[in-house]
Amino acid sequence: MSERTPTIARNLVATSQHLAAQAGLDAMRNGGNAIDAALATAIALTVVEPVSNGVGGDLYAIVWDGQQAHGVNASGAAPAAWSPSRFAERAAMPLLGWESVTVPGAVSGWAALSSQFGALPFARLFSAAIDYAQHGFPVSQTIAAKWARELVRLKDVPGFDSSFAPVFAPLGRAPMAGETFRNMALARSLRLIAESGGQDFYSGELAKALTTAARDNGAALSQEDLRHHRVEPMQVLRTSYRDCEVLGLPPNTQGLVTLIALALLNECVVSADTVESVNWTHLQVEALKLAFSHGYTTLGDGPLSAVALAPICDAAVRQAMFARIDRGRAQDFGGGKPPWGGTVYVTTADAEGRLVSLIQSTFFGFGSGVVAPGTGIHLNDRGACFSLDEGHVNQVAGGKRPLQTIIPGMVLRNNQAWASLGVTGGPIQPQGQVQLLTRMIDGGWDVQRAVDARRWKIEHAHGSVQLDFESGFQAELAAGLRALGHRADVPGLTGLDFGGAFAISRYRDAWAGASDPRRDGVVAGF
């Protein structure tokens, strides 16, 4: 693991692929602000990191406009024809194929954010992405390795040989690191989206291509489903942690899990020299277990219930919840088991004080494994996140959004934006956010040190809860946690199993940015 210092500049872009970061930086150099930079980066990521996101995915963002925070939910709903009876013969929702595809929301999020906050013309944000798609780009190392793994997993998806492989495995295999990859069909699709302000994707030629392919494969996604899609502005949720306010988005995200865990941890004090101690790490693990248990039994699409919000709004409920933690032994509180998935995260900041935290995903690597012929666009498999349990708050229904794992994070200090952060990788997301924030806020660590540090994660496997440690994790700390009863017996886990973290924080008169050495990412600034 590297021991780098943060990148310090007045204008910053941090993300998981260096070419995409340069696209965002170029937007700011040419008159754009932090929002333009985030969008140019996010759009480029659909080309240069297709294994983790795409035009057919979803997006969430928190934007600090210099004075206040705004939340954006650009995730899509289930096709109107979906119902519990449609999947009654299944033990779980489909993870692959057309029947896992919900309405893609990312394009609508790009358009909405650009219209409300951007300084550059919408079409200008697509320049780098279109160039990379049409003329090609050299594939980076981590992405190439994941690309190869996912193709093995997807090879039995119907239509793989006829529509998916010609786009993403034109040589009969994944591109190797350093090889040039092109997606000419995607370049044309991006032009249609850019020139129409995003409308073509929901009501034009691309919409017809997507829904025709869905119909031909017996799926429910219709042109009406696409036309009815809307971006939802969201009021951000907040919880106090020490002298900060930590922001997250309400459902259909799992953002409340992070906030509940931090609210519980705020019930006790930790000093800077014990931020990596056995006792403090134990408290973090147990607080997150409780947060997952509460969140995954109360969260779904629709208005937040008072019960769901109680741990961050009601001191008595929070204190009673914290009292369930035994400081001397690990427990299993039951409840939530968040799914895995592939994701990209972007954070940007500018000299005028704007800060953006944006996350987008198709869920699993390459999403559903299906491509709409002629478009170069692969589609999400977010439908797999629905529950089939009768009466569950997240039970599948037509027009309903599934609960999602992807969560942007932001922190205010003295009523001003202080930091933004995100951690890719399904259930590691709230866990990674908690680890970064306690190290930064309680430990006073700089943002790069917090990102670099070895991580742990709670994992639900074989009917029980275990605690996994990243390779190189402190041996004494791991031994101390095992002594408290934490099951931790999975060897050989690498950094790739512990998510990819990217963050920006205030640094005197400038911003400090961090990129995760576990990914191909970079921080670019000027």
Side-chain angles (χ1 to χ4, degrees):
M1 198 71 67
S2 71
E3 294 183 359
R4 298 169 295 170
T5 58
T7 298
I8 299 171
R10 292 186 177 89
N11 302 275
L12 284 179
V13 179
T15 195
S16 53
Q17 212 280 349
H18 60 284
L19 297 175
Q22 293 298 326
L25 201 67
D26 180 65
M28 281 200 284
R29 286 190 181 279
N30 286 278
N33 57 30
I35 295 85
D36 296 305
L39 292 172
T41 303
I43 295 165
L45 281 167
T46 66
V47 179
V48 299
E49 194 172 346
V51 69
S52 300
N53 78 130
V55 174
D58 291 322
L59 174 156
Y60 299 90
I62 301 174
V63 174
W64 178 262
D65 66 5
Q67 296 182 316
Q68 60 181 321
H70 306 263
V72 173
N73 180 340
S75 69
W82 280 14
S83 67
S85 62
R86 187 180 183 93
F87 305 97
E89 302 302 315
R90 295 176 178 269
M93 288 293 293
L95 184 60
L96 297 170
W98 278 98
E99 279 287 78
S100 66
V101 179
T102 54
V103 174
V107 171
S108 67
W110 300 340
L113 287 165
S114 175
S115 174
Q116 184 173 0
F117 302 108
L120 294 176
F122 185 63
R124 169 66 182 79
L125 305 175
F126 289 74
S127 299
I130 291 171
D131 182 70
Y132 291 143
Q134 181 170 349
H135 300 293
F137 64 94
V139 177
S140 52
Q141 288 185 332
T142 304
I143 293 168
K146 186 175 181 182
W147 199 318
R149 289 195 302 271
E150 293 301 324
L151 290 189
V152 173
R153 188 178 67 87
L154 297 172
K155 61 183 175 57
D156 295 326
V157 176
F160 178 85
D161 291 330
S162 60
S163 59
F164 187 91
V167 176
F168 292 108
L171 299 178
R173 57 168 174 77
M176 293 187 289
E179 283 188 329
T180 298
F181 177 79
R182 297 176 179 83
N183 190 341
M184 300 289 286
L186 181 57
R188 181 176 181 276
S189 295
L190 289 169
R191 285 194 186 91
L192 290 172
I193 293 168
E195 293 165 0
S196 67
Q199 288 303 307
D200 191 89
F201 189 84
Y202 296 100
S203 58
E205 179 183 336
L206 290 175
K208 185 176 180 180
L210 266 59
T211 55
T212 298
R215 183 197 64 210
D216 291 347
N217 285 274
L221 186 69
S222 70
Q223 292 195 50
E224 283 298 302
D225 293 323
L226 292 177
R227 277 197 290 266
H228 287 158
H229 170 74
R230 297 291 183 272
V231 177
E232 181 185 354
M234 307 180 85
Q235 184 172 1
V236 296
L237 300 176
R238 302 164 184 254
T239 195
S240 296
Y241 188 72
R242 313 309 186 205
D243 63 342
C244 296
E245 269 196 304
V246 182
L247 312 184
L249 293 183
N252 59 324
T253 79
Q254 65 171 341
L256 191 60
V257 172
T258 301
L259 302 187
I260 291 172
L262 289 170
L264 295 176
L265 292 170
N266 204 38
E267 291 294 309
C268 57
V269 178
V270 61
S271 62
D273 59 351
T274 59
V275 74
E276 291 285 273
S277 67
V278 172
N279 291 337
W280 179 240
T281 305
H282 170 70
L283 287 176
Q284 290 179 70
V285 172
E286 298 301 287
L288 276 157
K289 288 180 186 176
L290 281 168
F292 276 126
S293 178
H294 182 86
Y296 274 75
T297 53
T298 60
L299 300 181
D301 195 21
L304 260 175
S305 68
V307 172
L309 283 170
I312 65 170
C313 295
D314 188 319
V317 170
R318 181 168 59 252
Q319 289 160 9
M321 200 176 204
F322 182 75
R324 295 178 63 191
I325 296 175
D326 186 333
R327 291 175 182 254
R329 82 184 161 91
Q331 299 180 78
D332 183 351
F333 300 107
K337 181 182 177 181
W340 275 96
T343 309
V344 296
Y345 176 76
V346 179
T347 180
T348 60
D350 65 29
E352 285 70 46
R354 301 177 191 88
L355 186 64
V356 179
S357 183
L358 183 153
I359 196 161
Q360 66 184 23
S361 170
T362 48
F363 192 35
F364 268 54
F366 287 114
S368 59
V370 298
V371 170
T375 67
I377 296 172
H378 64 292
L379 297 165
N380 71 80
D381 58 341
R382 278 293 171 187
C385 294
F386 278 119
S387 172
L388 291 178
D389 294 341
E390 181 67 32
H392 194 286
V393 66
N394 189 41
Q395 184 181 16
V396 64
K400 181 179 181 178
R401 288 168 162 150
L403 185 64
Q404 293 213 22
T405 54
I406 57 176
I407 50 173
M410 189 171 286
V411 184
L412 308 185
R413 182 172 265 170
N414 299 322
N415 295 316
Q416 292 294 315
W418 179 71
S420 61
L421 72 158
V423 183
T424 63
I428 191 64
Q429 294 193 36
Q431 302 183 63
Q433 287 191 5
V434 167
Q435 289 173 73
L436 261 66
L437 288 171
T438 58
R439 288 162 175 163
M440 291 167 63
I441 297 171
D442 294 314
W445 292 17
D446 70 55
V447 66
Q448 187 65 60
R449 182 185 176 194
V451 164
D452 285 353
R454 299 300 199 276
R455 296 198 273 268
W456 47 262
K457 64 179 172 70
I458 303 161
E459 186 69 81
H460 294 75
H462 310 299
S464 63
V465 178
Q466 66 188 36
L467 187 64
D468 294 341
F469 300 124
E470 185 176 5
S471 177
F473 192 82
Q474 303 96 306
E476 290 185 3
L477 179 53
L481 291 165
R482 289 189 182 97
L484 291 175
H486 292 280
R487 287 190 61 243
D489 52 8
V490 180
L493 293 172
T494 68
L496 293 177
D497 299 301
F498 291 82
F502 301 88
I504 289 175
S505 66
R506 262 293 173 196
Y507 194 87
R508 298 191 177 96
D509 298 330
W511 298 100
S515 67
D516 202 318
R518 301 164 182 86
R519 296 295 187 269
D520 293 332
V522 70
V523 183
F526 67 94

